[in-house]
Every structure is written in structure tokens, then in C-alpha cells.
Amino acid sequence: MLVTNRGKYRTLDVTFRNGTEPTVFYVFLALASAAPTVDTNIKSDLNEIATGNGYTAGGISVARDATDWDVLTEDDTNDRALVQIKDLVWTASGGNLPSSGNGARYAILTDDNGTPANRDVIAAWDLSSDRTVSTGQTLTLQNCEVRLS
């Protein structure tokens, strides 16, 4: 898991300066061709997988609540706190997901900017390899967490 500098900035702005909170978050799937780094700022810095066959541009919305962020932990042993997103599921229908090109390599957490290309990148998870699923199969992300140490 990687928290971007933009994600750190937004967290501090909202917490300490009463900055504008996102109404919801989004998790989209990105290609390996532009790997996220701590310096990645906005969605257009990355390459989203092709839409269709069960994947919608922009990804899955994640509400700001205890249902969609279903685990919150203070870990005094490891000196950190973490929050986990509910399981996120994409089901391939009518063909492979993604519908063309290479598979998904990263899951990317963004804010809810009305212009999707300008959504702030908060965090990213490496899926370890390019992921493609066939019709009827699912791509499920479980226990994706954001940690503060």
C-alpha cells in the first residue's frame, strides 16, 4: 500500500484545517504502464484499464461511512492505525475484464472531483501482477487498507 503525498496533504488539510472533505471516494483499476508513486497527484497521471465487460470508467464508489470502511484499528504494538475498505468486486460480463489491452496492475483510491481526470490520488495498492478475468469470473479486492505509522 502506498499513500501519496497528495493523500497525506489532503488528510492533514481535512483533519486540521477543516478542508473540503470528499463526499465519496472512488477505487479504479490502473495499468502497469504508469506506476503510481508517492509523487502521483491526479488520476490523469495514471492509465485506467479499458471500460466495458463489467468495468465502468472511474471505478467503484466508496462512501465515507463505517459500512464501506468496515475496519478501523489502533495498533499500539506496531505504533500505527489503519482503516480497511469493504471488499470491492468487479464481475466480467460479455467478455474479459478489462475489455482490451493489458490487465489491471494497481487499485487506486481517489477523491470525488467532478472532473474524473482531476481526481486526487490518495493511495494505491499493487496487485502483484496484471489481472485479467474471464466472463463470469470476478476480481475481488479484500482488506485493502490505508495505514498511518
Side-chain angles (χ1 to χ4, degrees):
M1 186 271 320
L2 164 85
V3 176
T4 65
N5 292 332
R6 179 67 54 96
K8 295 168 193 171
Y9 173 87
R10 291 289 306 271
T11 300
L12 293 174
D13 184 44
V14 168
T15 302
F16 296 107
R17 297 178 55 173
N18 201 28
T20 304
E21 302 170 347
T23 305
V24 297
F25 294 96
Y26 289 91
V27 176
F28 76 93
L29 299 175
L31 301 168
S33 56
T37 70
V38 294
D39 296 321
T40 301
N41 288 324
I42 59 175
K43 184 176 182 276
S44 64
D45 293 337
L46 304 168
N47 298 314
E48 188 170 10
I49 66 168
T51 59
N53 297 348
Y55 184 79
T56 303
I60 295 175
S61 67
V62 180
R64 293 183 63 241
D65 61 26
T67 300
D68 285 5
W69 296 90
D70 57 357
V71 173
L72 176 63
T73 303
E74 178 182 339
D75 181 350
D76 291 331
T77 301
N78 295 301
D79 297 326
R80 65 183 181 205
L82 65 88
V83 63
Q84 287 181 351
I85 300 175
K86 68 178 182 177
D87 292 352
L88 302 174
V89 179
W90 288 270
T91 302
S93 60
N96 287 349
L97 188 158
S99 61
S100 64
N102 294 328
R105 174 59 189 257
Y106 301 100
I108 310 294
L109 176 69
T110 69
D111 72 354
D112 61 349
N113 187 307
T115 303
N118 293 334
R119 288 182 178 158
D120 285 338
V121 174
I122 308 298
W125 297 274
D126 189 338
L127 305 180
S128 302
S129 63
D130 291 352
R131 304 295 176 105
T132 300
V133 294
S134 303
T135 297
Q137 293 183 328
T138 60
L139 174 60
T140 303
L141 303 182
Q142 295 178 310
N143 303 325
C144 289
E145 62 184 42
V146 176
R147 286 189 209 165
L148 297 179
S149 298

